[in-house]
Amino acid sequence: GKCLVEWIRALLALILVGVLSFCGLFACVMYGAYDHIQGEPEVMVILGCQVRQDGPSVLLRDRLDEALGYLEAAQLPYSLTVLLENALRCGRTPEEAQAMADYLTAHGVEEEKVLLEPDSHNTAQNLDYSRRLLDREGIDTSDGVLLVSNGFHLTRARMLAERAGFEQVSTLAAPASHLPSRLYMYVREPLALVKSFLFDRAG
């Protein structure tokens, strides 16, 4: 009797702590899910996502269209370096980054202003490899870097970009037009934020 009651109380307390922790992490994800632009970044980094046989997935197209809208509104399509990041998973290929480049150049971005980072397998590698690539290319990021991704992804992306060595990080939040993916990602991202905080380190 009494022992069972104590166990139930302990279990309920653990559940409450878990729910409150998730809510706090969810609030962090939501805070980052908006545009936060500092100054005039001269480098745009578009984080990769799935490419299908017929072209970029809905989520990736959202990212690319948001980037194009920013470039058009800022009237900087030919002065801002655009770096496209791949994320290799489940047999996908480096052609994903190229598919992103093809989409942008088809919409007026000059090919010579587009850099590809085709080797990463996750967001942490995306940003670490991008930093190294920009350094090798001699591209100055002292005026900041603008990360473009779907809103749910940006809190974690900002953390990992700063960890990779980017000093002034701005974010541009794309919508997530695919409703099932949006719902899934807003559940997944708070947990991914913890995982990245603990384990994803620049190599």
Side-chain angles (χ1 to χ4, degrees):
K2 185 175 181 181
C3 184
L4 179 60
V5 170
E6 292 300 322
W7 273 105
I8 292 174
R9 286 177 176 173
L11 179 60
L12 291 175
L14 284 174
I15 292 172
L16 179 61
V17 169
V19 169
L20 292 175
S21 297
F22 183 87
C23 289
L25 291 166
F26 183 81
C28 290
V29 170
M30 291 302 297
Y31 174 76
Y34 300 94
D35 297 347
H36 294 273
I37 299 177
Q38 307 175 63
E40 296 182 356
E42 294 187 4
V43 176
M44 172 185 281
V45 178
I46 305 176
L47 295 165
C49 193
Q50 187 176 19
V51 171
R52 303 183 185 278
Q53 288 186 342
D54 59 348
S57 62
V58 175
L59 290 182
L60 181 54
R61 198 160 59 244
D62 287 336
R63 299 178 189 189
L64 295 168
D65 288 342
E66 190 71 21
L68 287 166
Y70 175 85
L71 292 170
E72 182 178 353
Q75 298 183 339
L76 293 173
Y78 306 121
S79 63
L80 188 147
T81 299
V82 180
L83 193 149
L84 304 175
E85 298 184 328
N86 193 52
L88 298 172
R89 301 186 192 93
C90 303
R92 291 192 245 151
T93 67
E95 282 74 31
E96 287 187 21
Q98 186 60 55
M100 295 167 68
D102 292 343
Y103 188 92
L104 291 179
T105 55
H107 289 80
V109 178
E110 286 188 339
E111 186 175 349
E112 55 268 27
K113 279 293 179 182
V114 177
L115 293 176
L116 306 183
E117 184 287 290
D119 299 320
S120 55
H121 289 74
N122 54 47
T123 304
Q125 289 182 355
N126 276 165
L127 293 157
D128 187 27
Y129 294 177
S130 293
R131 177 66 183 177
R132 299 182 191 197
L133 175 59
L134 291 165
D135 287 346
R136 287 197 303 271
E137 294 289 330
I139 295 172
D140 183 17
T141 60
S142 60
D143 287 332
V145 62
L146 176 61
L147 302 183
V148 183
S149 191
N150 306 102
F152 57 75
H153 192 206
L154 287 173
T155 294
R156 187 160 60 97
R158 174 190 289 275
M159 177 185 73
L160 293 171
E162 292 172 348
R163 190 173 286 178
F166 291 108
E167 295 181 3
Q168 183 170 304
V169 180
S170 295
T171 56
L172 185 65
S177 299
H178 189 248
L179 180 60
S181 295
R182 182 164 75 246
L183 295 176
Y184 168 72
M185 288 297 181
Y186 274 114
V187 173
R188 174 185 179 275
E189 272 300 309
L191 305 177
L193 188 61
V194 174
K195 177 259 183 186
S196 289
F197 179 79
L198 295 174
F199 300 112
D200 289 338
R201 302 286 169 179

